[in-house]
Each structure stands twice: as C-alpha cells, then as structure tokens.
Amino acid sequence: MALVTWDTSYSVSVKSCDAEHQKLFDLINQLHEAMQLGQGSTIVVPVVHELEKYTQTHFRAEEALLQQACYPKLAEHRQQHQKFVAQVKQFKDDLQAGSLGNSISVLKFLKDWLADHIKQTDKMYSEHLNSRGIK
Ligand code: FEO
C-alpha cells in the first residue's frame, strides 16, 4: 500500500508544482515499498539518491517561480527547503553507512514533513502566483 497518495487536497494550483509533488510522492512510495520488502541497500540507496536529487530539482524550480513572481515570503520558504534537503541527505548518508535502525520511521517523518510543507507552506503561494498568471 502506498505510504502517501496525492489528491486534490494537495493541489497548489500551479500545474508544474503539482506534477513535481506527485513525482516526489511516487519516489517516497517506491522507497517505502523497497524497504518494506526488505530490499537491500543496492536497491534502496539509488532510490533515496533519486529522491534527494529530485527534491532539489523541485525546490529550485519552485523557488524560481516564487522569485519570478516577487513572492514576499521566499526567504522563509527557501529556509524550509534547505532544512529538508539536509534531512534527506542525512537519511541517505545513514542508509549508505548502514547505520539506520528504523529507516521506515525516518521515511515516514520525511513524508509527513513534505505533506505538511505542501499543505501549509506551498499553498500559501497559490493566490500570489495565480494572480501573476502562473498557474
Ligand atoms: Fe513544493 Fe516548497 O516545496
């Protein structure tokens, strides 16, 4: 069963961001499935690496849109992104080092963080971006 399922309650009313959030959820679900099946680090580590890379790709794209729209809360938003990138990197490093006791609970923590970030922080930019023609 998927750990997290995208539905319209996660929509930020900007198509590219919604698509990127869906891909992030897909990667989290892939990782969750691999861990649940007890797949080894040769399978799990490349997926977490992909999650790390794609998280940064999405954050850069989203920040570029916010900058383009002169979004007043960009600095705080960027700080949250940087914090999450550091957490995902730590997760990857711990997995690679084989030093993570309960990796599924860490993955759930990352999933909750991302879901809350989309619903609380990302959604705050919808109106601002939409009013500047970014949809
Ligand atoms: Fe969609 Fe602010 O991350």
Side-chain angles (χ1 to χ4, degrees):
M1 202 177 109
L3 185 60
V4 60
T5 304
W6 192 92
D7 59 41
T8 52
S9 71
Y10 288 100
S11 176
V12 296
S13 305
V14 176
K15 277 199 186 90
S16 62
C17 293
D18 282 347
E20 288 160 15
H21 291 151
Q22 286 172 50
K23 175 153 179 171
L24 285 171
F25 281 9
D26 285 347
L27 287 167
I28 286 173
N29 287 330
Q30 273 180 44
L31 199 49
H32 183 237
E33 195 183 331
M35 287 173 167
Q36 271 193 322
L37 293 172
Q39 291 181 322
S41 61
T42 50
I43 305 243
V44 169
V45 170
V47 184
V48 79
H49 188 64
E50 178 66 20
L51 176 65
E52 182 191 28
K53 275 196 315 187
Y54 197 73
T55 298
Q56 294 181 48
T57 300
H58 164 59
F59 287 168
R60 270 198 300 270
E62 193 176 84
E63 287 168 20
L65 288 177
L66 298 180
Q67 191 150 19
Q68 183 190 329
C70 301
Y71 183 59
K73 291 179 182 160
L74 173 58
E76 297 106 285
H77 201 127
R78 184 177 276 134
Q79 271 183 356
Q80 286 200 21
H81 286 171
Q82 286 167 348
K83 202 170 154 190
F84 187 68
V85 167
Q87 284 170 328
V88 174
K89 184 183 181 309
Q90 185 67 53
F91 182 52
K92 184 195 73 178
D93 291 348
D94 289 347
L95 275 174
Q96 267 174 333
S99 65
L100 214 53
N102 188 350
S103 51
I104 289 188
S105 71
V106 179
L107 181 63
K108 283 183 178 160
F109 168 82
L110 295 177
K111 180 271 289 178
D112 287 343
W113 188 98
L114 187 62
D116 287 350
H117 176 79
I118 293 170
K119 284 198 168 175
Q120 288 166 25
T121 306
D122 284 355
K123 274 176 172 277
M124 287 169 65
Y125 64 57
S126 302
E127 206 179 313
H128 186 89
L129 264 58
N130 289 172
S131 74
R132 281 152 184 83
I134 300 170
K135 294 177 181 175

